[in-house]
Amino acid sequence: MTDTKRYEEADVKLSDRLSALAECVPEGARFADIGTDHALLPVHLARSGKVPFAVAGDVHKGPVEAARRQVAAAGLTGKVSVRHGDGLTVLEPGEVDAVCIAGMGGSLMVRLLEAAGARLDAVHTLILSPHVAEDQVRRWLIERSYVLDRERLVEEDGETYTILRAVRAGKEEADRRNAELYDSGLLAPCVPAIARPLLELMGPLLLRGADGAFGRKWEAEIAKREHILGQLRRSTAEEAARKASEWEETIRTLKEVLACWRAERRSSN
C-alpha cells in the first residue's frame, strides 16, 4: 500500500517511515520537506499543529501537482506552500529552520545541501534519510558543524530506512561533540579502535544502541559484499585482485565490529 493510499484511507495516518521522520521535527519549527512527493509529511505536521508553516518542494512536476491537490484537500494552502524546483532552491534564506530530505542517495543529498548556500544559514535541524552512501552524509554534517543527535532504522515493506537528525552547533562545540560521538574506542576493548570511515558508514549512535534492525541490516550488507568479493576472486584482472584484498579486509572488520556490537548488546540486557 502506498503512503498516499494510507493517508486517504486513514486521514492523517502515516507510514512507519514517514511517522519516524515526523517525530524528528522540532515542535514549532518552520519546516521544509525537500523531495516531498505528495506532501504527506508537511500536511500531517501542519494539520496536527506541530509546525506553523511548511514548504513542500519537489523537482518533478507530477508530484508537485499531486502535492497541491493534497494541500488544498486538507484546507492548508495558507500553511503549506508547495513549490516546484531543484533541492533547496525552492527556499528563501532564513525562511525555515528545519529541513527534511529523504528518498534519495547520499551523494545526491550532499550535492543538494552543498548547493543550498545561504538557504541553510538559519537551518538548525536537518532530518535526512539517505538510501545509500550514508557515510557521505555523516561526513558532510561533520564538516559543516552539525552534530547527530538521533539515528534510527525503520524496517518497512522489506526495506530498511536510515533516519538521521543533526543539529547545528558553533564550530568549537561541534568539533568537541563530534570527537566524542565518533570515538574510535566506543566498542573497546572488544574492538580497540574503529576507523573513522567505518564509524561514518555504520553510524556512531546506531553502534551505541541495541536495535535488532541494526544487526539485520549489517548481516545483509556483509552478504552483499561477500557476493561481490566472490565475483572479484573469479576475475583474472590484476585490478580485481587488488580490490578483492581490500574487500576481504573490510568484510573482516565489519564482521568483527558486528560481533562486538552483539556482545555489548547482550551484556547490557
Side-chain angles (χ1 to χ4, degrees), residues 2-14 18 33 36-47 56 62-78 80-82:
T2 65
D3 286 335
T4 304
K5 190 170 180 59
R6 286 177 183 167
Y7 185 89
E8 290 171 348
E9 288 183 355
D11 197 16
V12 293
K13 182 174 175 58
L14 301 178
L18 289 181
D33 185 28
T36 194
D37 194 19
H38 288 68
L40 298 179
L41 182 58
V43 164
H44 166 77
L45 291 167
R47 192 166 187 172
V64 167
E65 291 305 314
R68 285 177 176 146
R69 290 193 296 270
Q70 190 80 266
V71 170
L76 292 169
T77 53
V80 179
S81 175
V82 180

Side-chain angles (χ1 to χ4, degrees), residues 49 54 63 76 121 150 162 165 185 195 200 203 212 224 244 250 259 263 265 269:
L76 292 169
D121 286 353
R150 188 178 301 186
T162 302
R165 189 175 79 172
E200 292 169 351
K224 289 179 189 175
T250 300
R265 183 183 175 206
N269 288 341

Side-chain angles (χ1 to χ4, degrees), residues 34 59 83-92 95 112 115-116 119:
I34 304 301
V59 70
R83 302 175 189 177
H84 180 220
D86 187 21
L88 284 83
T89 63
V90 299
L91 301 174
E92 296 295 329
E95 190 173 23
L112 297 180
R119 296 175 180 88

Side-chain angles (χ1 to χ4, degrees), residues 192-207:
I194 305 174
R196 171 64 73 87
L198 195 61
L199 288 170
E200 292 169 351
L201 181 66
M202 301 184 82
L205 292 175
L206 292 172
L207 274 166

Side-chain angles (χ1 to χ4, degrees), residues 10 29 103 105 110 124 127 148 165 168 173 176 185 207 224 242 247 250:
V110 166
H124 179 264
I127 302 149
L148 287 170
R165 189 175 79 172
R168 187 195 291 275
E173 181 188 356
R176 176 184 59 78
L207 274 166
K224 289 179 189 175
R242 184 186 65 78
W247 279 78
T250 300

